[in-house]
Amino acid sequence: MKTKYSAKSTESPVLTDMFSRTISYLRLSLTDRCNLRCIYCVTEEEHEGHLVKLSHDELLTYEELLRVVRVAVAMGITKLRLTGGEPLVRHNVMHFISSLGGIDGLDDIRITTNGVLLEKYAHDLVSAGVTKVNVSLDTLQAKRFFEITGVDCFTQVWKGIEQALAAGFSPVKLNMVVMRGINDDELAEFARLSRDLPLQVRFIEFMPIGNSSRWHKDTYMSSDEIMERIGQFGELLPLEKKNADGPAKVFKLGANAKGAVGFISPISHHFCDRCNRLRLTSEGRLRSCLLHDEEIDLRKVLRSGGSDGQIRQTLLDAIENKPKGHQLAQKLREEGGDCHGRMSRIGG
Ligand code: SAM
């Protein structure tokens, strides 16, 4: 079977890959720059403050990004996620997001942020047409927040989460990367948040990706174990899966919970058979799988005068190369670990 792209004038275009998966979701890493230096994203040296960054010329410009998104949406992409690095640190980002809001056929614009600038931007994000916000938060303790991120701003992030709720995002999703021996003693506190507030607290398996040296078999904790631990704090009532949940399995912690908890298992129960994603890295490389290093240089096409047709063909080439699945769980058993490209450029 070939990559299919059907675009009859009477129906919405649909992109299908070699394994009959519909590709409808594009993740854009807007910048590799970040105002935090999380231990799972960067090397120990970088955590101390020596971040290696792309130059401005290496990043795709907003015009280039808009052009790619327009072509992609005309091919069948309906959902977009802005990520990074930290998307909200890019200069004039609100103007860019508003321009995305004007693209016909793009119904769903989401953002993943560390929340540091959310207090300032939450209402603007709503006005610009962002539909959902995910905030990465790995601890509820200010001192530990500093240890994990290298910056002392837990309170600021928490105010950002409150502001996102006040701005009307519902639910606000919190993403916690669970690391044994680092933050797994906070599982109960995080789960409890979902009882009291309309938050979807998602527990993510720590992946051996990026520059971090922190990943090893002992820091990794499987979703099954996380779920079992959380099940001790209350009954986990399964919720019907909605499109907006992505790969998360979602539950209510007790019938009266205002929010929900979700479990994301990229390693132990991977969701490759349902993967609908394509990624564009901050330096303009198309990546069809988070856990495969193969990328196609779209920036070269854009900067050598490529036509929309050539952009379209490059997107199709990337989708055609999308692997059936990643073999990470097996590799880890056999080799004890494997690390790939820089998370800040890929965008998670
Ligand atoms: N700066 C934004 C933020 O903090 O949400 C967006 C970029 S961050 C790289 C995107 C997501 O990747 C975050 O939710 C982060 O927790 C997750 N992430 C990064 N490294 C990870 C790893 N090794 N395993 C699991 N998740 C990871």
Side-chain angles (χ1 to χ4, degrees):
M1 201 183 300
K2 291 276 293 170
T3 302
K4 276 197 298 193
Y5 155 51
S6 68
K8 295 187 195 127
S9 56
T10 48
E11 34 178 83
S12 305
V14 177
L15 265 170
T16 316
D17 78 357
M18 306 272 281
F19 305 101
S20 303
R21 294 172 295 199
T22 299
I23 309 301
S24 55
Y25 179 15
L26 178 64
R27 296 176 64 104
L28 295 183
S29 173
L30 291 189
T31 175
D32 64 325
R33 285 159 200 248
C34 191
N35 40 8
L36 299 183
R37 308 185 291 273
C38 300
I39 50 170
Y40 46 72
C41 230
V42 300
T43 60
E44 272 167 48
E45 251 201 332
E46 288 178 318
H47 186 67
E48 299 309 318
H50 309 287
L51 277 177
V52 183
K53 292 177 228 148
L54 293 170
S55 69
H56 285 293
D57 282 357
E58 288 173 285
L59 294 178
L60 291 190
T61 64
Y62 285 144
E63 289 71 25
E64 288 168 332
L65 285 165
L66 282 170
R67 189 168 172 217
V68 174
V69 175
R70 275 197 198 97
V71 172
V73 168
M75 294 170 75
I77 295 292
T78 54
K79 170 174 163 186
L80 196 69
R81 178 171 301 281
L82 308 176
T83 173
E86 172 50 39
L88 294 178
V89 299
R90 186 151 173 187
H91 189 58
N92 264 337
V93 70
M94 283 304 149
H95 184 68
F96 169 68
I97 300 176
S98 300
S99 311
L100 288 172
I103 297 179
D104 234 14
L106 182 62
D107 346 307
D108 197 349
I109 305 173
R110 303 177 179 201
I111 192 162
T112 298
T113 170
N114 57 32
V116 175
L117 294 171
L118 203 48
E119 189 186 12
K120 178 174 172 196
Y121 283 131
H123 283 88
D124 294 346
L125 287 171
V126 174
S127 311
V130 172
T131 43
K132 295 262 185 297
V133 62
N134 288 11
V135 183
S136 305
L137 183 66
D138 307 306
T139 176
L140 299 169
Q141 301 172 12
K143 182 168 169 279
R144 187 176 281 173
F145 185 95
F146 174 70
E147 286 159 8
I148 292 179
T149 67
V151 182
D152 185 11
C153 61
F154 170 76
T155 309
Q156 200 174 328
V157 171
W158 191 256
K159 281 187 190 160
I161 292 166
E162 288 176 332
Q163 196 67 279
L165 289 168
F169 286 109
S170 176
V172 171
K173 293 184 185 174
L174 294 195
N175 289 343
M176 176 200 196
V177 178
V178 182
M179 298 168 278
R180 194 193 304 279
I182 297 178
N183 62 356
D184 65 308
D185 56 340
E186 294 188 60
L187 290 175
E189 292 306 308
F190 268 90
R192 253 180 236 129
L193 282 179
S194 78
R195 282 185 175 159
D196 305 335
L197 294 167
L199 296 171
Q200 188 184 111
V201 181
R202 292 142 41 108
F203 302 95
I204 304 179
E205 287 179 346
F206 190 13
M207 293 182 282
I209 181 168
N211 276 7
S212 174
S213 55
R214 299 299 181 110
W215 193 96
H216 46 84
K217 281 185 174 172
D218 300 334
T219 44
Y220 165 75
M221 202 166 165
S222 74
S223 276
D224 289 348
E225 187 180 345
I226 300 168
M227 233 168 120
E228 196 191 307
R229 295 253 303 258
I230 288 177
Q232 293 166 8
F233 313 124
E235 197 183 357
L236 284 172
L237 305 166
L239 288 177
E240 202 184 311
K241 203 163 167 50
K242 295 192 200 122
N243 255 353
D245 298 328
K249 277 193 194 151
V250 187
F251 301 81
K252 259 185 154 194
L253 190 66
N256 296 325
K258 291 191 174 144
V261 290
F263 300 90
I264 304 184
S265 329
I267 297 182
S268 63
H269 302 286
H270 67 70
F271 28 86
C272 305
D273 58 333
R274 285 166 283 135
C275 183
N276 59 353
R277 301 167 177 202
L278 183 63
R279 292 175 163 82
L280 185 60
T281 70
S282 45
E283 68 267 64
R285 303 179 71 84
L286 286 166
R287 188 172 174 113
S288 58
C289 171
L290 174 62
L291 297 164
H292 272 265
D293 280 336
E294 273 143 65
E295 292 176 349
I296 298 187
D297 192 352
L298 184 61
R299 189 179 67 192
K300 202 161 140 196
V301 177
L302 289 160
R303 295 194 182 167
S304 59
S307 63
D308 283 0
Q310 284 164 314
I311 296 171
R312 193 178 305 122
Q313 188 53 52
T314 313
L315 288 163
L316 288 173
D317 291 345
I319 292 167
E320 186 144 339
N321 282 336
K322 189 172 171 70
K324 187 168 182 202
H326 72 73
Q327 307 297 326
L328 209 51
Q330 191 190 332
K331 265 192 207 165
L332 295 174
R333 276 195 299 274
E334 288 166 3
E335 299 162 21
D338 199 0
C339 273
H340 299 249
R342 293 178 66 91
M343 222 26 175
S344 54
R345 293 183 189 172
I346 303 169

